[in-house]
Amino acid sequence: MKNYILKNSIFNSIFANLHHHSTCFINSIKQFLNSPLNYLLFIIPISLCILLVLISYNFMKNIDVNLKNDEEKVIIFLKDDISFMEIENIKKEIIENYEITVFNYYNEQESYEIYSKINEGRNIIKNENYNPFPKTIVIEKKISESILDNNKMYLYLENNKFIDSFNSNSIFLKRMNFFRNILLNILLLSFAFFFFILIFFINYYMKIEISSNRNKIYIYNLLGARGSYIRREYLYLPVLSGFLSFILGYIFFQSFYYFFTTSLNEILTSFSIPYSFTNISFVEAAFGAFSVIILMISVCIFTINKHLKHVL
C-alpha cells in the first residue's frame, strides 16, 4: 500500500511539473503572438548578429578548406636543355636546404595533361608536333616568417641557369591570412554585440515582468512554491525569442550564401580559377541553435534570480 501511494505521488508530481511546463510554454507563445512587434525589436538585431557570425565563420571555413594557409606553392619552369642530372641536383638542393613538403617534377607531356585536366580537356595545341608546355617542378613549402629565408630560396632559383622562371603564391596566401584575421575580428565583435543585446533585452524583460507580477510571486512564495516553479513562467519566452532569432539569422545567411556563391562562381569560372564552396553543415547549424538556447537559458536564470531577490 505504501509503495502504491509513493508511486502515485511521484507520478502526480511528474504530471504536475509537465503540465506546468507546457502551460508556461503555451502562455509564452500566446504572449509572443499577442505583441510580436515588441519582440521583433529584439529578434532582428540578434538575428543580424547571428548572420555576421555565420558569414564570418563560413568564410574562414572556406579559406581553410580551399587554401593551405601554412604552405606556399611554387611553380618552377625549366629550360628545354636541362638534363635529368641537373633536375636531381635542383631537387637535392631544395629539399635539403628548405622546408619542402612536396616536390613533383613533370615533363612536357605531363604538364600538358595537367593543364587539360584542370581546363576540362580544352586543347590549345594546334600543331600536334609541337608542345608549348615546358618541364616544370611544383613544390610546396611551409611559409616562413623570415623574409630572409624566402629570399634565399628565390635567389637560388633566379641564379640557376637551368631555371627559366618561377611563380609563387606567397603574396596571395599572406593576403588571405590577413583577410582571415579580419573575419576573425568581425566574428569576435559579432559575439560581443550579441551578448550585449542579449543581456540588455533579458534584463529589461525580466525587470518588467517580475515587477508587474510582484503580488503573484509573493503569493506563490507564501504557498511554498519552489524558486524553479516561479522561474518557469519567465523562462520560455526569452528562449523562444532567441531560437527564432537564430532561425531568422540562418535564413538570412542561406539567402546571402546562395546569391554570393552564384555571383562569385561565375567570376571565378571566367578566370578559370578552381574553387569549391562549402556551406554550413546541418550538424554545425544544430550546434549553433543548441548553443544559443543554452546561452539564453543561462542568462535568463541568472537575471531571474537577480530580480527575484528584490521581490521575495
Side-chain angles (χ1 to χ4, degrees), residues 6-7 15 21 27 44 50 60 86 93 115 119 121 123 156 180 192 226 265-266 279-280:
L6 180 62
K7 290 180 180 180
F15 179 79
H21 276 287
N27 290 337
I44 291 178
I50 293 174
M60 292 171 60
E86 291 298 335
E93 173 70 21
Y115 172 87
N119 292 275
N123 188 6
Y156 165 75
R180 189 181 187 281
R226 294 180 180 180
N265 193 39
E266 293 178 358
N279 199 350
I280 291 178

Coordinates of all heavy atoms in Angstrom, one line a residue, residues 6-7 15 21 27 44 50 60 86 93 115 119 121 123 156 180 192 226 265-266 279-280:
L6 N 3.4 5.9 -2.8 CA 4.6 6.5 -3.1 C 4.7 6.7 -4.7 O 5.0 7.8 -5.2 CB 5.8 5.8 -2.6 CG 7.2 6.4 -2.9 CD1 7.3 7.8 -2.3 CD2 8.3 5.4 -2.4
K7 N 4.4 5.6 -5.4 CA 4.4 5.7 -6.9 C 3.4 6.6 -7.4 O 3.7 7.4 -8.3 CB 4.2 4.3 -7.4 CG 5.3 3.3 -7.2 CD 5.0 1.9 -7.8 CE 6.2 1.0 -7.6 NZ 5.9 -0.4 -8.1
F15 N 3.6 14.6 -13.4 CA 2.5 15.1 -14.3 C 2.3 16.6 -14.0 O 2.0 17.4 -15.0 CB 1.2 14.3 -14.0 CG 0.0 14.8 -14.8 CD1 -0.1 14.4 -16.2 CD2 -0.9 15.6 -14.2 CE1 -1.2 14.9 -16.9 CE2 -2.0 16.1 -15.0 CZ -2.1 15.7 -16.3
H21 N 5.1 23.1 -17.1 CA 6.0 23.4 -18.2 C 5.2 23.7 -19.5 O 5.5 24.7 -20.1 CB 7.0 22.3 -18.4 CG 8.2 22.3 -17.5 ND1 9.2 23.2 -17.6 CD2 8.5 21.5 -16.4 CE1 10.1 23.0 -16.7 NE2 9.7 22.0 -16.0
N27 N 1.7 29.7 -22.8 CA 1.4 31.1 -22.5 C 2.5 32.0 -23.1 O 2.2 33.1 -23.5 CB 1.4 31.3 -21.0 CG 0.2 30.6 -20.3 OD1 -0.9 30.4 -21.0 ND2 0.2 30.3 -19.1
I44 N 15.3 41.0 -34.4 CA 16.0 41.4 -35.6 C 17.5 41.7 -35.3 O 18.4 41.2 -36.1 CB 15.3 42.6 -36.3 CG1 14.0 42.1 -36.9 CG2 16.2 43.2 -37.4 CD1 13.1 43.1 -37.5
I50 N 23.8 37.1 -35.4 CA 24.0 35.7 -35.8 C 24.4 35.6 -37.3 O 25.2 34.8 -37.7 CB 22.7 34.9 -35.5 CG1 22.5 34.8 -34.0 CG2 22.8 33.5 -36.1 CD1 21.2 34.2 -33.5
M60 N 35.8 31.9 -43.1 CA 37.0 31.3 -42.5 C 37.1 29.8 -42.9 O 38.2 29.3 -43.2 CB 37.0 31.6 -41.0 CG 37.2 33.0 -40.6 SD 37.0 33.3 -38.9 CE 38.3 32.3 -38.2
E86 N 70.7 17.4 -63.8 CA 70.5 18.8 -63.2 C 69.2 18.9 -62.4 O 69.1 19.6 -61.4 CB 70.6 19.8 -64.4 CG 71.9 20.0 -65.0 CD 73.0 20.5 -64.0 OE1 72.6 21.1 -63.0 OE2 74.2 20.2 -64.3
E93 N 69.1 20.2 -53.7 CA 69.4 21.5 -53.2 C 68.1 22.0 -52.4 O 68.2 22.5 -51.3 CB 69.8 22.4 -54.3 CG 70.0 23.9 -53.8 CD 71.2 24.1 -52.9 OE1 72.1 23.3 -52.9 OE2 71.2 25.1 -52.1
Y115 N 47.3 20.5 -67.4 CA 46.5 21.7 -67.9 C 45.2 21.2 -68.5 O 44.2 21.9 -68.2 CB 47.4 22.4 -69.0 CG 46.6 23.5 -69.7 CD1 46.6 24.8 -69.2 CD2 45.9 23.2 -70.9 CE1 45.9 25.8 -69.8 CE2 45.2 24.2 -71.5 CZ 45.2 25.5 -71.0 OH 44.5 26.5 -71.6
N119 N 41.5 22.4 -67.1 CA 40.7 23.2 -68.0 C 39.7 22.3 -68.8 O 39.3 22.7 -69.9 CB 41.6 24.0 -69.0 CG 42.4 25.0 -68.2 OD1 41.9 26.1 -68.0 ND2 43.6 24.7 -67.9
G121 N 39.8 19.5 -70.5 CA 40.2 19.0 -71.8 C 40.3 20.0 -72.9 O 40.4 19.6 -74.1
N123 N 41.8 22.0 -75.7 CA 43.0 21.8 -76.4 C 43.6 23.1 -77.0 O 42.9 23.8 -77.7 CB 42.7 20.8 -77.6 CG 44.0 20.4 -78.3 OD1 45.1 20.7 -77.9 ND2 43.8 19.7 -79.4
Y156 N 68.3 31.6 -55.1 CA 68.8 30.4 -55.8 C 68.1 30.1 -57.1 O 68.7 29.7 -58.1 CB 68.7 29.2 -54.8 CG 68.9 27.9 -55.4 CD1 70.2 27.4 -55.8 CD2 67.8 27.1 -55.7 CE1 70.3 26.2 -56.4 CE2 68.0 25.8 -56.3 CZ 69.2 25.4 -56.7 OH 69.4 24.2 -57.3
R180 N 41.6 36.6 -43.4 CA 41.0 35.7 -42.4 C 41.1 36.3 -41.0 O 40.2 36.1 -40.2 CB 41.8 34.4 -42.4 CG 41.2 33.3 -41.6 CD 42.1 32.0 -41.6 NE 41.5 30.9 -40.9 CZ 41.5 30.8 -39.6 NH1 42.0 31.7 -38.8 NH2 40.9 29.7 -39.1
A192 N 30.4 39.8 -29.3 CA 30.3 40.8 -28.2 C 29.0 41.6 -28.4 O 28.3 41.8 -27.4 CB 31.5 41.8 -28.3
R226 N 8.4 26.4 -5.0 CA 9.8 26.5 -5.2 C 10.2 27.6 -6.2 O 9.4 28.1 -7.0 CB 10.3 25.1 -5.7 CG 10.2 24.0 -4.8 CD 10.7 22.7 -5.4 NE 10.5 21.6 -4.5 CZ 10.9 20.3 -4.8 NH1 11.4 20.1 -6.0 NH2 10.7 19.3 -4.0
N265 N 31.0 32.5 -58.3 CA 31.3 31.3 -59.1 C 31.4 31.7 -60.5 O 32.3 31.1 -61.2 CB 30.3 30.2 -58.8 CG 30.7 28.9 -59.4 OD1 31.9 28.5 -59.3 ND2 29.8 28.1 -60.0
E266 N 30.5 32.6 -61.0 CA 30.6 33.0 -62.4 C 31.9 33.7 -62.7 O 32.6 33.6 -63.7 CB 29.4 33.9 -62.7 CG 28.1 33.1 -62.7 CD 26.9 34.1 -63.0 OE1 27.2 35.3 -63.2 OE2 25.8 33.6 -63.1
N279 N 29.3 25.0 -47.6 CA 28.2 25.6 -46.8 C 28.3 25.1 -45.3 O 29.0 24.1 -45.0 CB 26.8 25.2 -47.4 CG 25.7 26.2 -46.9 OD1 25.9 27.0 -46.0 ND2 24.6 26.1 -47.5
I280 N 27.6 25.7 -44.5 CA 27.5 25.3 -43.1 C 26.6 24.0 -43.0 O 25.5 24.0 -43.6 CB 26.8 26.4 -42.2 CG1 27.8 27.6 -42.1 CG2 26.5 25.9 -40.8 CD1 27.3 28.7 -41.2

